[in-house]
Each structure stands twice: as C-alpha cells, then as structure tokens.
Amino acid sequence: MTVEPGVSVGQDSDASVIERSWDEPEVFAVLFDRHADSVHRYAARRLGGEAAEDVMAETFTTAFQQRFRYRTESADARPWLFGIATNLIGRHRRAEARRLKALGRLPAPAAGGPADETVADQVAARVSAQAVRGELAGALARLPARHRDVLLLVAWADLGYEEAAAALGVPVGTVRSRLHRARRKVREALGGSDPTALREESDHE
C-alpha cells in the first residue's frame, strides 16, 4: 500500500479533501494542516522567514481560490502547492538574490549542534544554513531562475522529477535538462561537489 507524503493510513487523499471542499469550503483547512509547514520551510530557505510567512499564506489563499480547477486524478497536492509557491517566490527574485549573496558572506558555522538536535534537524540545517553559504550561495544566485526553481524543488521541496514537472507546468524532459545544467554549474562552482544533490537521481526515476 502506497501512502502519500503527509497522509497517514486511513486518511483521505489530498485530492479527496479538495473535492470535498468544493461543497464544504471549511474542509480545505485539512490541506493547510498537512502541508503549510513544508511550504513555509521551502519559502524560508529561499527568501527568509519574514517573506516566507507571506508566501505561505498567499499560497494557500491562491490554492483555495483555484481549488475548483484542481485535477483530482492527482492524489498528492504537494506539486500543485509548491508550484503556486514557486510562482509567488518568482515575484521576489531580487530579494532571493540578495539573500543568497548575504548568506555567501556569512562565516562557516561551527561543527556540531545542540545535544537534543535530531537527525532531521541536522539535515535541514545543513541544507538551509550550512550548505547555502559561500560558493554555493553564489552559484545558486547566478543560476537562471528557471534552473534554480527546478533544482530547489527537487533538493528542498523533495519533489521527484514528475512532481517538479507538474509543479512548474513543463515536461519531465525539461526538468531533467534544467536540473542537469543547474547541478553541473553548481559542481563547477564548488570544485566537483554538489550539496544540493540530497537524493540520488535514481530515486526520482
């Protein structure tokens, strides 16, 4: 049995929740409860905490307004939500570039962390703080926006190739091409390493 991310056994799929919300608008709050945190984390890594609050709120406002257009054959709403969030982030390209440049000037963080820091927290910290500094931050800032969107949807939103394609409204082949080019540029900037490649590409086949 396959369980969608963020959905427990016995829970309705995201698509079912959205379809129910057509007649019962208050049901849409279930979708917010399931995915607001992950949308906020994604936006915060790209724009910082203050802007992320606005992006997250507007993502779900937009999703609610567009819920009648949702294709219910897609059980998992994450690609749809992250696509909306990415479009909203696109309005902040200059702010994102400034953030990346600022992160690039920060000193490297000290090794280790709080004793009660979980493995998940450590991974999140490595991606959102430690990895996005110095040369990597500069490399991300220099990527074309369409390449950066694909790279960060895969690395930070944890979407597969087909999910990223759905989020951006482009063919899977385009996602693969953009991701390959983005990672090649990141590796070149970092002398061969790529901290954004958090999952093996085979996981997305």
Side-chain angles (χ1 to χ4, degrees):
M1 177 178 179
T2 300
V3 179
E4 299 294 346
V7 179
S8 300
V9 174
Q11 284 187 339
D12 290 339
S13 68
D14 291 342
S16 296
V17 170
I18 293 170
E19 190 169 8
R20 284 178 56 203
S21 78
W22 296 348
D23 295 320
E24 304 173 64
E26 65 277 6
V27 173
F28 197 82
V30 172
L31 206 68
F32 180 90
D33 292 339
R34 287 180 182 174
H35 302 297
D37 286 347
S38 59
V39 170
H40 183 273
R41 282 194 300 270
Y42 170 69
R45 290 172 184 176
R46 297 194 61 167
L47 297 175
E50 184 175 350
E53 291 287 342
D54 293 336
V55 168
M56 184 266 287
E58 192 170 355
T59 293
F60 283 92
T61 298
T62 301
F64 179 78
Q65 294 169 345
Q66 297 181 358
R67 70 191 188 281
F68 296 103
R69 296 161 52 187
Y70 185 78
R71 298 175 60 184
T72 54
E73 61 267 27
S74 300
D76 183 3
R78 290 184 314 135
W80 179 55
L81 293 171
F82 280 113
I84 294 171
T86 299
N87 286 335
L88 294 171
I89 288 169
R91 301 177 186 176
H92 301 270
R93 295 294 183 201
R94 291 182 180 177
E96 183 178 31
R98 287 196 300 270
R99 172 175 167 78
L100 289 170
K101 290 176 182 177
L103 286 172
R105 293 192 292 268
L106 292 175
D116 60 347
E117 189 175 37
T118 66
V119 173
D121 290 337
Q122 292 170 8
V123 172
R126 176 166 62 87
V127 177
S128 62
Q130 296 182 17
V132 190
R133 291 187 178 177
E135 294 176 345
L136 176 58
L140 292 175
R142 290 191 295 271
L143 288 176
R146 63 187 184 278
H147 292 171
R148 186 165 63 242
D149 286 342
V150 169
L151 178 64
L152 299 184
L153 279 171
V154 172
W156 290 353
D158 201 30
L159 298 188
Y161 294 165
E162 292 188 0
E163 292 173 323
L168 297 172
V170 300
V172 174
T174 300
V175 166
R176 292 180 183 276
S177 176
R178 291 179 183 176
L179 185 62
H180 174 75
R181 293 175 184 176
R183 283 183 166 159
R184 176 168 52 82
K185 291 179 180 178
V186 167
R187 284 194 296 268
E188 289 173 355
L190 300 182
S193 64
D194 179 6
T196 67
L198 298 181
R199 297 170 64 186
E200 294 295 330
E201 293 192 5
S202 60
D203 289 344
H204 298 276
E205 298 294 340

